[in-house]
Amino acid sequence: MTAAARQTRFRIEGMDCASCAAKIDTAVRRVPDVTDVTVSVVAGTMTVMHGDRLDLEALARKVGKLGYKAAPINPSAPALQQKEHAGYDHGPECGHEHHDHGHDHGSASSAANAHRSTEREHNVLEGMHGHDHGPQDGPWWKTSKARLTITCGIALAVAFLLAQVFPATQPWGFLVAMAVGLIPIARRALFGAMNGSPFTIETLMTVAAVGAVIINAAEEAAVVVFLFLVGELLEGIATGRARASIQALATLMPKTALVERDGSTETVPAESLAVDMIVLVRPGDRVAADGVVLSGESAVDEAPVTGESVPKRKETGDNVFAGTVNQEGVLRVRVTAAAADNTIARIIALVEEAQESKAPTERFIDRFSKYYTPGVMVVAALIAILPPLVGGAEWSTWIYRGLAVLLIGCPCALVISTPAAIAAALSAGARRGLLMKGGAVLENLGKVDRVAFDKTGTLTEGKPKVTDIVSVARGERETLRLAAALEAGSSHPLAVAILAEAAAKGVPVTAAAEAGAVGGKGVVGTVDGVKLFLASPRAASEKVPLDEALSVRIASLNDEGKTVSVLIADTEVAGLIAMRDEPRDDAVAGIAALRELGADAVMLTGDNTRTAKAIAASLGMEARAELMPQDKQKIVGEMRAQGKFVAKVGDGINDAPALAAADIGIAMGSGTDVALETADAAVLHGRVKDVANMVALSRLTMDNIFQNITIALGLKAVFLVTTVLGVTGLWPAILADTGATVLVTANAMRLLAWKGLRDV
């Protein structure tokens, strides 16, 4: 195996800001046999591309010296296998079959492979003080970082009391209090500098604190160190919310499942469930795994996973998702995905992967900060040195101001402004079934001004429904009863539609005698001694002449894009049944929502022109029909050439070329693996309005990022001026930096509360 042929993911604990990630990235890249590194703050992970000779334990120790804990999630997995993480390889939960596609969603995704191994191994450097507010089992106040902050605070309080009672102890008490907090910070600064990151916030803090002591400002130095620790703690708590919002999905999974074996049941751990096991889900239970209902009927609350407020009816053959709640009857479910590959595990894995992909804005700020931090140190040095040298000013005053500028210049708030917002938006989107492959996709979605939709399975349900029953010689109910009798037991999509309509209207169905198919024409059978023939209008006219009024009605229904079947009873026309693949319930609202956002919609379909135009007219959009896959791809290319930023939405294999050709490819969640792999984003629950939701979320996120950058740079600019003028000092400087970081993070976290566009 060649160098860089392996990939290992690590769980990193104690990482809460972009500068943490930058230090880890820089240090790990210096390790021999490492060729590439990707660090995700919110996911709390690091992905390392490397050769066979890499010592994983040594790499973990190096990360530990920086103040973090690193543990392999999937040691030395082949890179080719791990590459599959990037794709939306949806398995059984996307198994809503379409009669015109026949997609089989079989094997489970490898996107959650990273979750199959033990995720937590303790690093040998357990006691290192660091940014210990990453993924953790206990409350924040039990972390080593919180303990350090509390200890430093107590030491500071004791120093103040001693200074009041024994004034002679004043500098020494504050020096001790400062040392409690500064020593771990200085160690991290030293290890960072030794591993290629000399310009870190720890370096700035160490220089500022030591400098303050030199100019006899020990009291201020101690307070500044304490405020710095408090700020880091607040920053970590706020940042952890984005991580927790997705990880909280894992808590939806029940701990146990009731498995049926050899006629009896036994309780087993839910994580031990394997494909094809049979589980019983009682009323009130959470579904323990993705699966298909074998028997039983019930209403299932899917709100925890899909966000849908109305419970869905589930019966034999329907799919159920892990984490949803059974409300009424007992369901027997065949497991179709193991615990590591179920819907919830897959969403978590996909969002973590997406968070490792940086947005263009974030990449720019990362590059900017590499020059910004050294620049701040140079400016601070000039402020401290030039006035005394050139103007004869007092050294202690200007060194003090230079140290304050060092603290003000900390880039934490700036570098976290974008990733915090991106992470919160990806998390909020995922909780509504909007999956985006990274920050770049999220950022670009807001630019969309033309959306090209596939028809079948995207704008429509992908299965026909009965729309009209026209009585001729028999009444509507009788026509439906006789037609359903002919179709009883058939799995043909048109037959399923007729039987579903009969069930919905409470029409009893008794299978016809002597039932059979007439190749290419229709079905025949006998009910109550009457010979029946359900056929296309052309085949029916060969048996019984259709009068002009009936022919006009059939033509009118055809013009509406409906398929018409004629029921003949003996020698007369009993009635007509018209069916059509109807638009999704939210299609009209979805297209209207896009229009309000300034994005116009067009339908691209391989279906016949008459049907396409009828559906498009009902949705208020343009239609282009009878297209081959290459035609769709060509049209998308033409739209882009006209200066449009195009999103293509589809679910079939024939959509893959157009999805790849568009600026943004969006797969409907019920689509094929090929469409999901090719797409940049996925609407997991098949709602048309969710395409508009994606665009709206993107624009909201970009507004949030702009606000964050304004807060970060604005506060720095104000305090830089006031510090140079001598109005503010070290305390306000550190409060400005900490305040900016917490404000930026809190502002980004507002995106977690996003619920989507309101229904009009």
Side-chain angles (χ1 to χ4, degrees):
M1 191 171 285
T2 59
R6 290 188 174 275
Q7 175 173 296
T8 304
R9 285 186 98 214
F10 289 81
R11 179 69 61 190
I12 306 294
E13 294 194 23
M15 179 171 56
D16 62 29
C17 68
S19 62
C20 302
K23 279 188 295 183
I24 294 169
D25 186 292
T26 303
V28 173
R29 285 182 188 277
R30 292 176 153 224
V31 175
D33 214 27
V34 169
T35 56
D36 197 18
V37 183
T38 305
V39 184
S40 170
V41 176
V42 176
T45 60
M46 172 178 69
T47 304
V48 181
M49 295 291 295
H50 59 88
D52 289 334
R53 298 186 302 278
L54 179 67
D55 185 340
L56 296 180
E57 290 186 6
L59 187 146
R61 284 196 296 273
K62 180 176 276 287
V63 174
K65 287 182 179 180
L66 295 172
Y68 312 96
K69 296 176 185 177
I73 298 174
N74 57 335
S76 300
L80 182 62
Q81 174 186 345
Q82 291 303 311
K83 188 177 179 182
E84 296 173 14
H85 278 255
Y88 287 85
D89 181 17
H90 288 255
E93 86 273 24
C94 299
H96 310 295
E97 294 184 4
H98 304 322
H99 70 276
D100 51 347
H101 296 309
H103 309 313
D104 177 21
H105 305 279
S107 63
S109 167
S110 63
N113 283 349
H115 296 267
R116 292 177 182 166
S117 303
T118 302
E119 294 197 3
R120 309 271 182 191
E121 294 178 22
H122 290 291
N123 190 280
V124 290
L125 296 166
E126 184 84 33
M128 266 302 289
H129 292 297
H131 291 44
D132 289 323
H133 18 83
Q136 57 207 348
D137 296 326
W140 63 267
W141 60 84
K142 290 187 178 180
T143 64
S144 58
K145 187 61 182 181
R147 289 197 298 271
L148 175 63
T149 305
I150 293 167
T151 303
C152 186
I154 292 171
L156 185 61
V158 170
F160 268 114
L161 286 175
L162 285 175
Q164 297 300 317
V165 179
F166 306 106
T169 66
Q170 180 169 345
W172 306 108
F174 288 117
L175 279 174
V176 171
M178 181 197 73
V180 169
L182 187 63
I183 289 173
I185 296 170
R187 288 180 66 187
R188 298 200 321 253
L190 178 62
F191 283 123
M194 290 169 59
N195 288 279
S197 300
F199 302 112
T200 62
I201 176 58
E202 288 85 4
T203 303
L204 300 184
M205 175 55 56
T206 302
V207 171
V210 172
V213 171
I214 292 172
I215 61 172
N216 296 320
E219 181 179 346
E220 286 189 276
V223 173
V224 163
V225 169
F226 174 67
L227 289 175
F228 174 76
L229 294 176
V230 171
E232 280 199 319
L233 189 59
L234 291 173
E235 179 184 326
I237 292 168
T239 306
R241 284 190 57 197
R243 186 181 288 136
S245 70
I246 282 299
Q247 294 299 337
L249 285 171
T251 64
L252 296 175
M253 290 298 300
K255 301 294 184 187
T256 61
L258 199 60
V259 174
E260 183 180 284
R261 285 193 182 124
D262 303 323
S264 62
T265 59
E266 64 175 294
T267 301
V268 301
E271 61 187 21
S272 70
L273 293 177
V275 175
D276 289 334
M277 279 187 173
I278 308 299
V279 297
L280 290 183
V281 186
R282 297 163 300 189
D285 286 352
R286 284 191 183 272
V287 179
D290 288 356
V292 177
V293 178
L294 292 181
S295 63
E297 185 177 337
S298 182
V300 175
D301 179 9
E302 296 187 342
V305 177
T306 68
E308 290 287 355
S309 57
V310 180
K312 283 193 174 181
R313 297 298 304 177
K314 299 290 182 178
E315 52 192 34
T316 303
D318 287 341
N319 294 294
V320 289
F321 304 135
T324 55
V325 182
N326 183 23
Q327 293 192 325
E328 298 170 3
V330 176
L331 296 175
R332 288 179 70 245
V333 176
R334 178 177 64 83
V335 176
T336 54
D341 297 314
N342 65 37
T343 306
I344 291 173
R346 191 166 300 135
I347 290 174
I348 293 170
L350 286 170
V351 174
E352 287 191 351
E353 291 294 329
Q355 288 170 346
E356 291 179 6
S357 172
K358 292 187 176 182
T361 303
E362 184 179 354
R363 289 197 296 268
F364 168 76
I365 289 177
D366 282 350
R367 291 195 300 270
F368 174 72
S369 65
K370 287 180 182 177
Y371 301 101
Y372 171 84
T373 306
V376 165
M377 296 193 76
V378 170
V379 169
L382 292 175
I383 288 173
I385 294 169
L386 284 182
L389 282 181
V390 177
E394 189 177 337
W395 278 97
S396 60
T397 299
W398 285 96
I399 289 175
Y400 182 91
R401 292 178 185 178
L403 295 174
V405 168
L406 265 187
L407 299 179
I408 291 167
C410 168
C412 267
L414 182 63
V415 295
I416 205 173
S417 60
T418 301
I422 293 286
L426 288 171
S427 301
R431 292 180 75 85
R432 289 194 57 80
L434 313 180
L435 304 183
M436 290 153 277
K437 292 183 181 177
V441 174
L442 175 61
E443 187 168 318
N444 286 328
L445 271 163
K447 303 174 186 175
V448 169
D449 55 9
R450 172 72 61 87
V451 184
F453 286 92
D454 179 39
K455 181 182 78 69
T456 306
T458 299
L459 287 170
T460 65
E461 295 284 358
K463 51 188 178 184
K465 292 181 179 178
V466 173
T467 57
D468 303 86
I469 301 174
V470 180
S471 61
V472 183
R474 305 285 180 103
E476 289 184 14
R477 192 174 178 84
E478 180 67 4
T479 297
L480 179 60
R481 183 182 77 85
L482 296 175
L486 285 175
E487 300 287 17
S490 174
S491 59
H492 188 281
L494 298 182
V496 171
I498 291 172
L499 291 168
E501 183 70 8
K505 293 191 173 179
V507 175
V509 177
T510 304
E514 302 170 357
V518 180
K521 293 186 176 181
V523 291
V524 296
T526 303
V527 175
D528 301 333
V530 178
K531 291 186 176 180
L532 304 174
F533 182 37
L534 184 64
S536 66
R538 180 180 298 177
S541 65
E542 295 173 3
K543 282 210 167 192
V544 176
L546 304 180
D547 60 38
E548 186 177 349
L550 204 54
S551 297
V552 169
R553 185 64 193 275
I554 291 171
S556 173
L557 291 168
N558 284 334
D559 287 339
E560 294 172 13
K562 298 171 182 176
T563 299
V564 180
S565 294
V566 180
L567 178 65
I568 296 176
D570 286 334
T571 58
E572 61 184 6
V573 176
L576 310 176
I577 296 180
M579 287 164 280
R580 186 171 72 175
D581 181 12
E582 289 289 88
R584 293 179 182 271
D585 293 339
D586 73 329
V588 173
I591 300 302
L594 279 170
R595 198 176 297 116
E596 282 193 20
L597 292 170
D600 56 336
V602 59
M603 177 194 293
L604 304 181
T605 179
D607 210 341
N608 67 76
T609 301
R610 184 164 55 186
T611 300
K613 287 190 178 298
I615 295 288
S618 69
L619 299 177
M621 63 191 299
E622 175 193 349
R624 300 182 69 170
E626 299 180 19
L627 302 174
M628 298 294 287
Q630 59 268 30
D631 297 327
K632 296 181 181 181
Q633 185 180 22
K634 181 182 176 184
I635 291 169
V636 168
E638 289 171 354
M639 291 177 185
R640 293 184 67 193
Q642 294 166 4
K644 295 290 186 180
F645 201 90
V646 182
K648 174 68 176 73
V649 187
D651 76 325
I653 291 174
N654 60 357
D655 292 307
L659 286 170
D663 292 293
I664 298 286
I666 302 173
M668 294 301 267
S670 55
T672 65
D673 292 342
V674 175
L676 292 163
E677 286 286 349
T678 308
D680 301 299
V683 175
L684 190 63
H685 309 306
R687 293 181 287 246
V688 176
K689 192 172 181 180
D690 276 348
V691 177
N693 271 323
M694 277 187 172
V695 175
L697 178 59
S698 170
R699 294 179 184 177
L700 187 65
T701 304
M702 295 312 295
D703 288 345
N704 190 281
I705 289 171
F706 177 77
Q707 294 162 6
N708 287 347
I709 293 172
T710 302
I711 291 169
L713 294 180
L715 275 174
K716 289 184 188 304
V718 169
F719 279 89
L720 180 65
V721 172
T722 57
T723 299
V724 172
L725 294 176
V727 177
T728 53
L730 286 176
W731 296 16
I734 194 68
L735 283 172
D737 172 63
T738 299
T741 303
V742 173
L743 278 175
V744 161
T745 308
N747 188 48
M749 292 305 102
R750 289 192 305 116
L751 291 170
L752 290 173
W754 180 79
K755 302 296 184 185
L757 294 170
R758 292 182 180 178
D759 293 327
V760 180

